[in-house]
Amino acid sequence: RACGRGAMGERLLPAWLLLPGLLLAASCVRAAAAFPPGCYPAEEGGLKTFRCSHARLTEVPKDIPNDTHKLFLDSNRIPYLPHDAFRDLPLLLELDLSHNSIAGIESGAFRGLADHLRSLDLSSNRLVSLSKEAVGHLKAKVNLSDNPWLCDCRLQELIRAVALAAGSAGGIVCDAAAREEHVGKAFLQVLAHTDFCNAYKRTTDIAMLVTMFGWFAMVISYLVYYVRQNQEDARRHLEYLKSLPSKQRRSEESSTISTVV
């Protein structure tokens, strides 16, 4: 019996040794199940990485590990970045959002990333316009190339507020502009001899002058109409007085003349 118990113990020992491994595998399966299909954590060059490339995402995932250093959300269908989209990622260094459908970014979308984010890729999206408040506070190198930009004062302020990623400036091309000659040209090339904000200011000043002149003309027209109308009323009243008997006419004439004066 002792031998039997010894043999049975030898047979049970491997099962006990396997138990921690089985528990670890189960926890990994549960963790993987929490991520969207096509997303997985990894480690690259000693940095915690989370990849969701080509995962058909339509929004930023909610369960990204908060110790992530590099986040790849490229080649998806994300159309919009809401406020605080990455607020739970205090260690994030690199963020790739290229090749999506991003057409709008709220000013607080990257809140919490200013002190540590080193690289932000927004290339190949659908950005037509973007306020400097959305990314201007970041210290990261930003790639804005291959978007259908409207070249105007807002884009000029954005470009001057961010640090562009090396080699990306030539890809910021005017898809639309106030002047047809700028369409299809690199924005920095156009910016070398055009100040969009000064042109906008001049246009605004002219519009204000035209508006002020219009109001002034309306006031003058009203005053002229008012004076003429009073004169016409006074003339009619005097003609009426002339048709009255002489005594009554003289007394009312003097009253009318004093009133007009």
Side-chain angles (χ1 to χ4, degrees):
R1 288 183 180 176
C3 291
R5 284 196 297 272
M8 184 179 294
E10 291 176 359
R11 288 195 299 271
L12 291 174
L13 185 60
W16 284 104
L17 290 175
L18 287 174
L19 184 58
L22 292 172
L23 291 174
L24 179 61
S27 65
C28 290
V29 169
R30 286 196 299 271
F35 300 140
C39 298
Y40 61 91
E43 188 166 330
E44 300 176 4
L47 297 175
K48 297 289 183 66
T49 302
F50 193 74
R51 287 190 173 273
C52 285
S53 305
H54 300 279
R56 299 183 179 180
L57 298 176
T58 56
E59 63 180 2
V60 177
K62 305 296 183 185
D63 299 317
I64 302 171
N66 58 14
D67 61 349
T68 298
H69 296 110
K70 299 170 68 175
L71 176 58
F72 292 87
L73 298 174
D74 55 299
S75 303
N76 283 289
R77 303 170 183 173
I78 300 172
Y80 180 73
L81 297 180
H83 192 75
D84 286 334
F86 307 96
R87 65 178 179 179
D88 296 324
L89 301 173
L91 304 178
L92 194 62
L93 300 175
E94 297 181 22
L95 176 57
D96 189 348
L97 290 161
S98 63
H99 296 90
N100 273 280
S101 303
I102 299 172
I105 300 176
E106 284 195 7
S107 59
F110 302 109
R111 191 172 68 167
L113 304 182
D115 294 332
H116 46 84
L117 191 68
R118 299 185 309 202
S119 174
L120 173 62
D121 194 344
L122 290 169
S123 63
S124 300
N125 276 283
R126 297 180 182 175
L127 291 169
V128 173
S129 184
L130 181 63
S131 70
K132 64 179 180 179
E133 288 76 19
V135 294
H137 64 292
L138 298 175
K139 299 175 183 177
K141 300 291 185 180
V142 183
N143 188 344
L144 298 171
S145 62
D146 299 320
N147 281 279
W149 291 110
L150 168 63
C151 290
D152 60 0
C153 179
R154 200 178 195 201
L155 181 58
Q156 177 175 313
E157 291 180 338
L158 171 66
I159 296 300
R160 291 178 175 175
V162 301
L164 295 176
S168 67
I172 304 174
V173 177
C174 300
D175 188 71
R179 295 169 60 177
E180 187 66 26
E181 63 194 68
H182 294 157
V183 176
K185 292 183 178 179
F187 184 64
L188 291 188
Q189 176 187 348
V190 175
L191 201 57
H193 53 79
T194 303
D195 190 333
F196 288 88
C197 293
N198 273 349
Y200 174 77
K201 185 177 182 299
R202 286 197 300 271
T203 302
T204 303
D205 290 344
I206 292 171
M208 289 181 63
L209 286 173
V210 170
T211 303
M212 291 175 63
F213 179 78
W215 279 106
F216 182 73
M218 287 177 62
V219 171
I220 295 299
S221 299
Y222 175 78
L223 289 175
V224 170
Y225 170 79
Y226 180 78
V227 170
R228 287 181 176 176
Q229 187 66 34
N230 282 351
Q231 289 177 342
E232 182 66 20
D233 290 343
R235 185 186 64 79
R236 290 176 181 173
H237 189 63
L238 288 173
E239 289 180 353
Y240 168 74
L241 292 177
K242 289 178 181 180
S243 65
L244 295 176
S246 58
K247 290 184 179 181
Q248 183 180 358
R249 183 173 67 244
R250 280 196 298 272
S251 62
E252 291 197 15
E253 279 179 353
S254 59
S255 175
T256 302
I257 292 171
S258 62
T259 302
V260 172
V261 173

